[in-house]
Amino acid sequence: MCHNIIKYILWISLVFNTATVLKSQEVEELDILDLAALPIEEYTNLSLPPLSLLFENAKQTPLYEMAHVKEQIETSFLRKERRSPLSFFSVRGSYQYGMFGTDVSYSDVYVPVISSYSTSAQSSYTIGAAVSIPIDEIFDYTGRVRRQRLQLRTARLEREAMYEEIQREIVQLYTTALAQLNVLKLRVEAVILAGVQYDIAEKDFANGALDSSTLSMEKERQSQALERFENTKFELTKSLMILEIITRTPILKKN
């Protein structure tokens, strides 16, 4: 009888020193599935979108947009170089219209001062054209157009290289997330199994069929399983959040 009382006291002390939150005494047993229900439900139903969608959405990233804008600027410069011969020619013209007034005064020794004023409407216009052809620009025209074409091709290659780099990063994160998701499912099974084993060990300890050291070992196994699960969940969450940023695609929020 005394031996059973000592076991019961040790059991009470062990339970209150563990990190697991127990239910009230009205509940006869602890369901370990309830402890892992929220994270398990969140991640076991997780599905990753197809890579093609992630690649397409990645074109909305600032790096790709910046490369695309640079290509558009170089395209505009190429059009300007092709039209540069038009700068050799110039056309000018002007038009004037107004009222002109004439004020005349006359006098001599015998005639008093006589004044007269008259107005008239007049208009004038000029039209002209000029041609100025710099010799150096004529001979360098083909070269300027060719250089600008190379600049445009460089911008396109930079955009394609940037896109390939983004695709490689997406593939790396995607495959890593898939592997982590598979590992997480194994961690879930380990958590459930460790919880069931600890639940059985806890009942055996309460009935006096198990000593405290064995119960402590079962608790340690459960804690290790939970810790491995949380670490894997953390790594998976980090990979998915980075993938969301790079691809502009909701993954965690969608699920």
Side-chain angles (χ1 to χ4, degrees), residues 8-227:
Y8 183 76
I9 294 174
L10 290 174
W11 176 74
I12 293 294
S13 176
L14 179 62
V15 170
F16 280 94
N17 287 328
T18 56
T20 307
V21 178
L22 297 180
K23 297 182 180 179
S24 63
Q25 295 181 354
E26 296 178 357
V27 180
E28 296 181 355
E29 60 182 7
L30 175 64
D31 189 357
I32 191 64
L33 297 178
D34 291 340
L35 295 177
L38 181 59
I40 292 174
E41 183 68 22
E42 180 181 354
Y43 287 91
T44 54
N45 296 328
L46 184 64
S47 61
L48 298 181
L51 272 174
S52 58
L53 176 62
L54 299 180
F55 288 159
E56 186 64 27
N57 292 346
K59 294 180 180 180
Q60 303 174 11
T61 57
L63 289 176
Y64 185 86
E65 285 289 337
M66 183 172 60
H68 183 61
V69 169
K70 184 177 180 181
E71 179 185 352
Q72 291 178 324
I73 292 174
E74 297 299 337
T75 302
S76 178
F77 282 152
L78 179 60
R79 295 194 189 101
K80 180 180 178 181
E81 288 296 342
R82 287 173 175 172
R83 294 194 302 265
S84 61
L86 295 178
S87 63
F88 301 158
F89 305 93
S90 62
V91 178
R92 63 180 181 274
S94 65
Y95 177 78
Q96 294 180 342
Y97 175 83
M99 300 295 294
F100 294 86
T102 303
D103 187 4
V104 178
S105 298
Y106 173 77
S107 67
D108 60 13
V109 178
Y110 302 102
V111 179
V113 176
I114 300 174
S115 298
S116 64
Y117 179 78
S118 61
T119 60
S120 62
Q122 296 182 4
S123 62
S124 63
Y125 63 89
T126 59
I127 297 176
V131 178
S132 176
I133 304 177
I135 302 299
D136 58 336
E137 292 189 13
I138 289 179
F139 286 102
D140 192 41
Y141 171 73
T142 303
R144 290 200 314 274
V145 173
R146 182 168 57 250
R147 287 193 296 270
Q148 189 55 45
R149 285 176 178 171
L150 293 176
Q151 290 286 350
L152 176 58
R153 178 168 175 77
T154 300
R156 288 175 178 172
L157 291 175
E158 289 178 354
R159 177 178 60 82
E160 293 175 2
M162 181 66 66
Y163 188 47
E164 289 180 359
E165 181 65 26
I166 294 174
Q167 285 179 315
R168 283 194 295 267
E169 190 170 358
I170 291 174
V171 169
Q172 180 66 33
L173 288 169
Y174 192 87
T175 54
T176 300
L178 283 178
Q180 291 169 343
L181 186 58
N182 292 331
V183 173
L184 185 67
K185 293 177 180 179
L186 298 177
R187 299 288 190 235
V188 169
E189 295 176 0
V191 168
I192 295 175
L193 180 59
V196 172
Q197 291 176 344
Y198 177 74
D199 194 28
I200 296 173
E202 187 180 39
K203 292 179 181 179
D204 291 341
F205 179 77
N207 295 328
L210 195 69
D211 57 15
S212 60
S213 60
T214 305
L215 180 63
S216 178
M217 291 176 58
E218 292 297 333
K219 183 59 182 179
E220 180 66 21
R221 292 192 184 97
Q222 183 194 31
S223 299
Q224 291 176 355
L226 287 171
E227 182 180 358

